[in-house]
Amino acid sequence: MKAIELNMPDEVYEKLESLASQDHQSVNAFASRKLEEFARAVEDFKELERRAQRGRREKFESSMAKVPDVPPVPGDEL
């Protein structure tokens, strides 16, 4: 495991401290978990971008043309 020194504004630290205490965790454990979640989200977004580049409008329209034009199931209306 690596240790880092991180400087941040007092207000940001206070928010982290508050959120960590609400989650019954130390600031270190909470921040570490949130940084890991953020890193995964960035990786996931990059993967979605790569997949989107492979998409083709024609294939999308062809697939959508196969969807039946029926009223929504009760409860799913806008």
Side-chain angles (χ1 to χ4, degrees), residues 12-26:
V12 174
Y13 184 83
E14 290 167 6
K15 287 179 186 179
L16 271 177
E17 197 172 36
S18 174
L19 291 167
S21 70
Q22 292 172 25
D23 214 24
H24 308 289
Q25 293 185 28
S26 67

Side-chain angles (χ1 to χ4, degrees), residues 63-78:
S63 295
M64 292 305 293
K66 297 175 187 175
V67 177
D69 187 17
V70 296
V73 174
D76 282 350
E77 306 90 351
L78 290 178

Side-chain angles (χ1 to χ4, degrees), residues 2 13 19 25 30 38 42-43 48 51 64 66 70:
K2 301 284 184 189
Y13 184 83
L19 291 167
Q25 293 185 28
F30 182 81
F38 177 74
V42 169
E43 288 174 342
L48 287 174
R51 292 177 69 182
M64 292 305 293
K66 297 175 187 175
V70 296

Side-chain angles (χ1 to χ4, degrees), residues 1-67:
M1 185 177 293
K2 301 284 184 189
I4 63 169
E5 183 176 326
L6 182 62
N7 296 313
M8 65 182 72
D10 292 340
E11 314 84 66
V12 174
Y13 184 83
E14 290 167 6
K15 287 179 186 179
L16 271 177
E17 197 172 36
S18 174
L19 291 167
S21 70
Q22 292 172 25
D23 214 24
H24 308 289
Q25 293 185 28
S26 67
V27 173
N28 187 66
F30 182 81
S32 180
R33 192 183 83 211
K34 292 303 174 185
L35 285 169
E36 181 181 358
E37 290 173 5
F38 177 74
R40 285 187 181 155
V42 169
E43 288 174 342
D44 290 347
F45 186 77
K46 287 181 180 179
E47 175 61 20
L48 287 174
E49 284 182 322
R50 282 191 290 273
R51 292 177 69 182
Q53 289 174 353
R54 293 193 326 245
R56 299 288 171 255
R57 184 72 181 184
E58 300 80 30
K59 288 177 74 175
F60 170 75
E61 289 176 355
S62 172
S63 295
M64 292 305 293
K66 297 175 187 175
V67 177

